[in-house]
Amino acid sequence: MSSLFAVGFTLAFVAMFSAIGQAFASGKALESMARQPEIAGDIRTTLILALAMMEALTLFTFVMAILMWTKI
Amino acid sequence: MFSLPATIVKAAEHATEAAAHGAHGAEELTGMAAKFEELNHVLGHLTPHVKFHIGPIPVTSTIVNTWIVMVVLTAIVFFITRKVEYKPRSAGQKILEMYIEFIGGLLETVMGKKGRKFIPFVGTVFLFILALNLSWFIPGMIPPTTDFNTTFGLSIATILAVNFIGIREKGLKHYLQHYLEPNPIMAPLTFMEQFTHAFSLGIRLFGNMFGEKMVVTVLTILAPLIFPLPVQLLGIIMGIIQAFVFTLLTITYISEFVLGH
């Protein structure tokens, strides 16, 4: 039972901090897009790349959670 | 193969039964248990399963669906490119040219003019993954990207191709020098990085598509009528973005070798 708690807590914790990090990146990107609309396309591409990098850590944890869950 | 409608009917029957008998605690508990059994049942149908055997080799639904997508894509592109004109008049050729220009633009922003020769490779990766992701919305199809065998196959093949491109573009000597680049002490790390790239590419695609599918499945079982729709709309966007991210990272990895010193 405690390991089930660990699975849920892991995902919630990681999702929270990943969301905070992505929010910082997206906010800054939106600011710079509003300031310089002519390079909005480049910024958007880089933003998606950066978000994917942050997302990857969450997904590593997701896989870890699945592994923990199936071991129960 | 795809038993979701039957499950929805059953879940609705459960709900009406519970409503008829009044909400007692014990019955509610058995209702929940039944729902989780339904969940297990549906998951059994939504996860890849063995379709048939060729000799001793089991053929899963993932392989069947991948081949269906491959055949459809190849057929569409084959019939469009039968009559290629200098000034395109058919809608198909216009769309294909737009697509190729889109991929070329992506490559040019990262690598400049010399990036355009990777259009066939990168464009195929994008189109293939996009078709695999969006095959979710064909009733009866299990999207092959929710099976980690597909995504890891794709990512390992991509990283191998990127390394071969590096050897072809820079020559073997410069390719090996790339691993010693900042400092020879870092060589094991830069070598390990290739495995990390392959792993993260595969995990990213698998995790996103699998998570999205699980959320929609659970929502369909718990509240079947309208609630899964917004998440499914998100699934369309997610499928496109994940294909785009895979392509973008492939381009970045190629540029690491092509633009390197």
Side-chain angles (χ1 to χ4, degrees), chain A residues 45 48-49 52-53 56 59 63, chain B residues 199 203-204 208 210 245 248-249:
Chain A
T45 312
I48 288 177
L49 204 60
M53 292 292 178
L59 293 167
V63 173
Chain B
F199 184 71
I203 277 293
R204 184 175 296 117
N208 273 302
F210 181 77
V245 162
L248 216 55
L249 285 172

Side-chain angles (χ1 to χ4, degrees), chain B residues 5-57:
Chain B
T7 328
I8 293 172
V9 171
K10 274 186 197 167
E13 277 172 7
H14 275 301
T16 46
E17 268 177 33
H21 291 126
H24 298 297
E27 271 179 15
E28 220 168 74
L29 214 61
T30 50
M32 284 298 277
K35 272 192 178 174
F36 280 117
E37 255 172 41
E38 291 294 334
L39 179 67
N40 264 337
H41 181 68
V42 173
L43 288 191
H45 281 272
L46 280 183
T47 43
H49 48 272
V50 176
K51 284 279 200 199
F52 54 89
H53 287 74
I54 299 180
I57 306 166

Side-chain angles (χ1 to χ4, degrees), chain A residues 29-46:
Chain A
L30 281 180
E31 267 178 26
S32 48
M33 266 188 231
R35 199 172 294 146
Q36 277 162 318
E38 58 267 23
I39 55 164
D42 285 355
I43 292 176
R44 195 174 301 120
T45 312
T46 320

Side-chain angles (χ1 to χ4, degrees), chain B residues 102-241:
Chain B
F102 163 67
I103 296 290
L106 270 185
L107 281 162
E108 268 185 30
T109 51
V110 180
M111 280 184 262
K113 277 286 175 206
K114 63 180 166 183
R116 286 191 76 89
K117 64 180 158 189
F118 304 119
I119 287 177
F121 171 53
V122 175
T124 312
V125 166
F126 182 69
L127 200 58
F128 185 50
I129 294 177
L130 188 68
L132 288 186
N133 285 348
L134 295 188
S135 73
W136 187 21
F137 295 96
I138 302 169
M141 287 278 262
I142 302 169
T145 37
T146 54
D147 185 356
F148 64 87
N149 293 310
T150 312
T151 60
F152 277 105
L154 272 171
S155 66
I156 291 171
T158 305
I159 292 299
L160 280 181
V162 165
N163 278 285
F164 280 123
I165 285 174
I167 294 177
R168 202 186 63 195
E169 291 298 310
K170 306 292 276 187
L172 190 58
K173 186 162 164 283
H174 284 90
Y175 166 76
L176 289 177
Q177 250 175 14
H178 164 265
Y179 286 118
L180 309 173
E181 205 31 74
N183 196 339
I185 300 172
M186 303 276 279
L189 283 181
T190 45
F191 185 65
M192 280 292 292
E193 201 182 22
Q194 297 302 315
F195 293 95
T196 321
H197 284 170
F199 184 71
S200 71
L201 269 184
I203 277 293
R204 184 175 296 117
L205 190 55
F206 165 71
N208 273 302
M209 295 316 290
F210 181 77
E212 188 72 30
K213 194 182 78 173
M214 281 302 120
V215 168
V216 170
T217 310
V218 171
L219 270 181
T220 312
I221 291 163
L222 294 183
L225 194 54
I226 296 173
F227 281 91
L229 267 182
V231 188
Q232 272 186 314
L233 277 179
L234 194 68
I236 297 181
I237 302 171
M238 192 74 103
I240 298 171
I241 286 183

